Every structure is written in structure tokens, then in C-alpha cells.
Amino acid sequence: FQDRPAIRATLLQTLGDVYRSLGLVDLAAPLLQETLTIRQQTAATSPTHGQDLASCLMSLGLLALAKGDLEQAETMIRRALTTAEEALGKDHVYVAHGLMNLANVLRERHELDAAAAALQRARDILRRDPIQSAPALAAATHNLGAVLFNQGDTGGAEACFLEVLEL
């Protein structure tokens, strides 16, 4: 696939994501880095460059999270979100999923107010199409409930958990 860089990048990213999900982060890292290089080199010729680049940056952010590098994870996920918002719009479902990933990093960093804000924004986006987004909406609402509970807002947490049961 040397002569088909878009296909090569997609395959490398998929394999890198699989390795990351299996906990094989050392195998995932070079594949995702190569994907980023290809995405950057083919920017001018790819009609889906912004979306593809955002996806690659998100994968790198999730890899950093898996490695425990929260600072790098946040940086990459924020870059992915900015890229996705520019390419797809601020209210796209992909942006909501990215916000949920960002909230996970922020929660790990004990930045609970920021995590709650990211999850609330994700929920607002997902509520625009509750049928299609029901699983993600349930996850975002549950995670917001957990953050609120950790902040001591048991009433808010309970409301979130009850809402999940109704979805």
C-alpha cells in the first residue's frame, strides 16, 4: 500500500488502535506516529483530511492516556477536538465523543469542573439526535453522574443515573 497512502494510513491506525486496546502500547505507538506522518503529508490531496487527522490525533491521545501520560493525552485530544470542530462543525457527534474522551483525561487529572463541563457539552450535542446517539448519550450521562458524585453533588449524580435508566 505504499502507493495508496490513505489506505495505508487507515490500516496502520486501525492496527495501532487494536494494539492499544489490547494494552500493547509499545506496538501501537510507531504505527500511530506513522499514521500521523502520512496524514500530514497527504493533507492537500485528501478531501477528508480534517476528519482523518482528527481521528489520528484522537488515537494518539488515547494512546497517551493508556500510557498514563495525562498531559500528552490532553494535548492530543484537544488538538483532535479543534481539528474535528473545524472539519465537521462544533455540534458533530464525533466532537461529542471527543469531549467524552477529554472528560476522561480531565477526571484522571482531578479537574472535575472541567470534566463536568466537557460531559455536559457532549450531552447537549448528543441530545440533538437521541435515537442515533442513545448509547453515547447514556455513557456521557452516566459519566457526568460519576463526576458530580465525586464533587459531592449527590442530587445531581442521582438525577443523571436516573436519566440513564430512562434512555
Side-chain angles (χ1 to χ4, degrees):
F1 292 103
Q2 293 297 345
D3 60 334
R4 312 274 307 261
I7 294 172
R8 179 173 174 74
T10 299
L11 293 172
L12 288 169
Q13 183 174 342
T14 300
L15 188 54
D17 286 341
V18 168
Y19 282 155
R20 176 190 45 81
S21 69
L22 293 172
L24 303 171
V25 294
D26 292 335
L27 294 175
L31 299 175
L32 295 175
Q33 284 298 332
E34 186 176 347
T35 301
L36 180 60
T37 299
I38 293 169
R39 296 291 187 211
Q40 291 170 331
Q41 291 172 346
T42 60
T45 61
S46 173
T48 60
H49 169 67
Q51 184 175 355
D52 294 338
L53 181 60
S55 177
C56 179
L57 292 168
M58 189 63 69
S59 290
L60 286 164
L62 294 173
L63 177 64
L65 178 59
K67 289 179 168 185
D69 186 347
L70 300 179
E71 184 174 328
Q72 180 68 7
E74 182 178 354
T75 298
M76 297 307 285
I77 291 171
R78 286 190 185 278
R79 280 183 60 196
L81 280 168
T82 299
T83 304
E85 288 175 341
E86 290 170 0
L88 303 169
K90 292 186 178 290
D91 295 328
H92 195 276
V93 170
Y94 184 84
V95 172
H97 288 273
L99 288 164
M100 292 168 63
N101 289 330
L102 177 62
N104 287 336
V105 173
L106 295 170
R107 190 172 57 209
E108 288 291 319
R109 293 181 70 154
H110 305 287
E111 296 177 26
L112 299 180
D113 290 339
L119 288 166
Q120 186 57 55
R121 183 167 167 229
R123 283 178 9 138
D124 291 344
I125 294 168
L126 294 168
R127 281 189 172 132
R128 292 188 175 104
D129 188 4
I131 302 298
Q132 280 294 108
S133 302
L137 180 57
T141 302
H142 175 271
N143 292 347
L144 178 58
V147 168
L148 294 174
F149 182 81
N150 288 336
Q151 289 179 308
D153 181 359
T154 56
E158 180 183 20
C160 287
F161 295 142
L162 290 172
E163 182 179 333
V164 170
L165 293 174
E166 295 174 9
L167 293 176

